[in-house]
Amino acid sequence: MAEEYKAERTITAVLKEEQQVDKVVRRLIDRGVPSDHISLMGQNFESKTRIAGFISKKDVILGGLRTGAVFGSLFGSLLSLFTGMGVLFIPFLGSVVAAGPITSVLLGAASGAIAGSAGAGLASALATLGMPKEKAAVYETRVKAGEFLLMAEVPADKSGEYQLLIESAGGEEIHVNESTLPRPCTGRCNGVDDLSPEIRSHLSEAAQQDFIASYNKVLDETNDETKAEQQAWTEIKDKYDEDDNGIWSKEKVTT
């Protein structure tokens, strides 16, 4: 029986070229890091010009991640390694292509669930993960400049090895967090207590139940946590409005 992969730390780095990103991701996977523990974010993937024709702020639901076959046919071989990729509109940054568990953090940032109903930028979202604010601001600036953010969740006893791998392939501004990225639930949500605090604190009791029901339904169908969270957030935004405290609690009146 294969040994279970135990992710304990998150290495974050900036890479200037998409070719460098491709090299790092493939090396990480070859060295045993599962693709669902690697996150990517950037604005200038090769498919950007083809996306620009039909993706706009209006097309991308604020706080929602656009996923599905339409994106799978556009992105290159690198992003095809991931599930749940899509385009997300982040306040103060614009539309980014994202893949991997970072999408959960970005969903919270775009919906305002991290920094109040005004909406949070990438720097605010990353700072909630325990990054120094100065480092988080550097990451936001460099993504905005067209570079790429890579995050790899790795075992603690191998973090040095993986950090050297990323550095040798051109990784810059490397930061190591003593934790992994937050997930809505660890696997299936069996109740409100399973919801991560980041999500639970921004949903009313009724909205929490709706989130869980939608999340579990999609997870059972697809076994894809990113798609499950995306659909759950979409359902919340279809059914509720935020109150003045940024909590999704006001049920919409349907006519």
Side-chain angles (χ1 to χ4, degrees), residues 4 15 20 22-23 43 50 84 86 89 124 133 144 173 181 185 189 192 208 217 251:
E4 183 180 356
L15 293 141
Q20 293 175 317
D22 189 286
K23 182 186 295 185
Q43 295 183 309
R50 284 174 285 172
F89 185 86
S124 297
K133 291 182 180 179
K144 200 169 187 176
E173 296 290 348
L181 296 170
C185 297
C189 285
V192 171
Q208 290 170 9
K217 181 177 183 294
E251 195 160 343

Side-chain angles (χ1 to χ4, degrees), residues 44-110:
N44 291 335
F45 287 99
E46 289 178 0
S47 56
K48 181 180 177 183
T49 53
R50 284 174 285 172
I51 295 173
F54 66 90
I55 291 295
S56 67
K57 180 176 179 180
K58 181 180 177 182
D59 294 324
V60 183
I61 302 169
L62 184 61
L65 189 64
R66 290 285 297 269
T67 60
V70 64
F71 290 115
S73 65
L74 288 171
F75 296 120
S77 60
L78 169 63
L79 293 179
S80 68
L81 297 172
F82 298 86
T83 58
M85 66 179 180
V87 176
L88 184 66
F89 185 86
I90 303 296
F92 318 119
L93 185 61
S95 295
V96 298
V97 178
I102 187 61
T103 53
S104 293
V105 179
L106 297 181
L107 282 167

Side-chain angles (χ1 to χ4, degrees), residues 51-212:
I51 295 173
F54 66 90
I55 291 295
S56 67
K57 180 176 179 180
K58 181 180 177 182
D59 294 324
V60 183
I61 302 169
L62 184 61
L65 189 64
R66 290 285 297 269
T67 60
V70 64
F71 290 115
S73 65
L74 288 171
F75 296 120
S77 60
L78 169 63
L79 293 179
S80 68
L81 297 172
F82 298 86
T83 58
M85 66 179 180
V87 176
L88 184 66
F89 185 86
I90 303 296
F92 318 119
L93 185 61
S95 295
V96 298
V97 178
I102 187 61
T103 53
S104 293
V105 179
L106 297 181
L107 282 167
S111 68
I114 287 177
S117 57
L122 177 60
S124 297
L126 295 177
T128 67
L129 303 177
M131 290 186 187
K133 291 182 180 179
E134 297 80 6
K135 181 70 77 173
V138 168
Y139 289 147
E140 179 174 86
T141 298
R142 295 190 66 166
V143 170
K144 200 169 187 176
E147 297 177 8
F148 303 92
L149 196 68
L150 171 89
M151 306 178 88
E153 299 172 309
V154 304
D157 62 354
K158 292 189 175 181
S159 62
E161 171 190 336
Y162 289 126
Q163 183 174 338
L164 286 173
L165 182 157
I166 294 169
E167 285 179 349
S168 68
E172 300 177 6
E173 296 290 348
I174 290 178
H175 177 77
V176 181
N177 260 29
E178 298 294 320
S179 61
T180 56
L181 296 170
R183 266 72 166 176
C185 297
T186 303
R188 212 171 184 277
C189 285
N190 295 313
V192 171
D193 290 343
D194 287 348
L195 274 178
S196 69
E198 295 88 352
I199 290 177
R200 188 171 64 242
S201 63
H202 290 278
L203 299 173
S204 66
E205 290 184 7
Q208 290 170 9
Q209 297 298 333
D210 288 335
F211 186 99
I212 290 170

